[in-house]
């Protein structure tokens, strides 16, 4: 049942006295016509009073600040039931929805961005700047939360599944978040992208530290199980994918991009070297074996040369190696062994001739 609510004090105990409705809390009097207007303005379909709506806004703001996103979402929805043009409620709903999706592993930013965009369009002209600032801040907060959760998820779920999730999130970022930030605050767009790229790089670096022991190195005597090597190679390709994503995302940050590019070169170099080695049972160590895995090696070499060239643009002092280095280096190792073998055979023949001559 609809109730009158006093505009002055928010009291709900208004009693008809003669030609007026009198608030029993503060004593203000309303004519019958004024009472009808109050009824139309303060009471919505759900029966919430103006004072309740104000209370919902306060509770929603506090819930969002404290990270109680379910409560923030519920209160903001209560407000929007009363007024679909309340830009502050849309801002809260957008942030709460984005954060809830993040912690639930739902890589969907569409509703979050839609709410924030609606908030900006609903804001009165005198509050438009405030709405834009809040929308940009909220989308940044959501992206930071996704980045923080990224660390843990890589160790809870399989790497490949999480990479697919990360790709889904990046796709959402490029199609939804980046256009919003570009339109309203390009500087914040760049800082937000750079921060998220750093998170991806950090996770990739930690993963690489776990992968590298399972890749063979020349002269290493410990044998590496073929399954472990295959797993390490597959994980390394995912790490390359992650670092490429981080480079593309954070291009506005030259120093950060240079660091991520150097990490990419390190991973490529290690994979190229590992793929060119074979375990020599006689010598009991890994030795160069040119010609094996040549197609994969060629692809990796082409990729790493491109990375070197891009890094040279960021850092003029960076030295781009010769492409042949990745192939000749291994062939030299083999050639030296052959040469040593020939010399040994020659010395044996000479010694035999000397002994025979005696």
């Amino acid at each position: 049942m609809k109730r009158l609510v006093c505009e002055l004090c928010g009291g709900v105990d208004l009693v008809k006295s003669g030609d007026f409705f009198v608030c029993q809390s503060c004593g203000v009097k309303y004519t019958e016509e004024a009472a009808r207007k109050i009824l139309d303005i303060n009471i919505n379909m759900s029966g919430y009073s103006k004072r309740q709506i104000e209370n919902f806004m306060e509770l929603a703001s506090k819930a969002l600040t404290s990270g109680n996103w379910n409560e923030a979402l519920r209160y903001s929805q209560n407000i929007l039931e009363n007024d679909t043009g309340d830009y502050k409620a849309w801002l809260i709903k957008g942030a709460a929805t984005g954060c809830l999706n993040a912690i639930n592993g739902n890589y969907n930013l569409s509703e979050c961005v839609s709410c924030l965009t609606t908030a900006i369009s609903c804001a009165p002209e005198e509050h438009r700047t405030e709405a834009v600032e809040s929308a940009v801040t909220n989308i940044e907060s959501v992206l930071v939360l996704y980045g923080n959760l990224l660390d843990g998820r890589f160790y809870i779920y399989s790497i490949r599944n999480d990479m697919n999730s990360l790709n889904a999130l990046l796709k959402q970022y490029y199609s939804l978040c980046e256009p919003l930030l570009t339109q309203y605050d390009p500087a914040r767009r760049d800082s937000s992208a750079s921060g998220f790229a750093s998170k991806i790089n950090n996770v990739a670096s930690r993963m690489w530290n776990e992968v590298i022991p399972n890749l063979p190195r020349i002269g290493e005597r410990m044998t590496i199980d073929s399954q472990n090597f295959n797993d390490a190679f597959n994980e390394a390709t995912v790490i390359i994918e992650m670092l490429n994503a981080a480079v593309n995302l954070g291009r506005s940050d030259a120093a950060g991009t240079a660091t991520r590019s150097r990490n990419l070169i390190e991973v490529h170099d290690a994979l190229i070297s590992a793929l060119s080695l074979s375990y020599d049972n006689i010598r009991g160590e890994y030795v160069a074996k040119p010609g094996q895995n040549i197609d994969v090696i060629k692809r990796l070499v082409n990729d790493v040369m491109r990375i070197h060239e891009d890094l040279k643009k960021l850092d003029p002092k960076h030295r781009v190696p010769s492409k042949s280095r990745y192939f000749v280096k291994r062939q030299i190792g083999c050639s030296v062994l052959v040469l040593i073998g020939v010399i040994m055979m020659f010395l044996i023949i000479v010694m035999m001739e000397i002994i025979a001559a005696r």
Side-chain angles (χ1 to χ4, degrees), residues 154-155 159 203-211 238-239 242:
F154 266 96
Y155 294 97
I159 292 176
V203 176
S205 297
R206 287 206 302 276
M207 287 172 58
W208 178 240
N209 289 335
E210 295 183 7
V211 169
V238 173
I239 291 170
M242 290 176 65

Side-chain angles (χ1 to χ4, degrees), residues 130-175:
E130 173 197 344
V132 168
E133 173 69 19
S134 295
V136 170
T137 299
N138 287 351
I139 197 63
E140 275 189 319
S141 298
V142 171
L143 290 174
V144 167
L145 179 59
Y146 270 110
N148 290 338
L149 291 172
L150 186 66
D151 288 0
R153 291 189 187 281
F154 266 96
Y155 294 97
I156 297 173
Y157 305 111
S158 70
I159 292 176
R160 173 50 64 184
N161 286 342
D162 232 39
M163 191 60 215
N164 290 337
S165 298
L166 177 59
N167 282 333
L169 176 61
L170 291 173
K171 185 177 180 180
Q172 294 267 319
Y173 171 82
Y174 285 123
S175 63

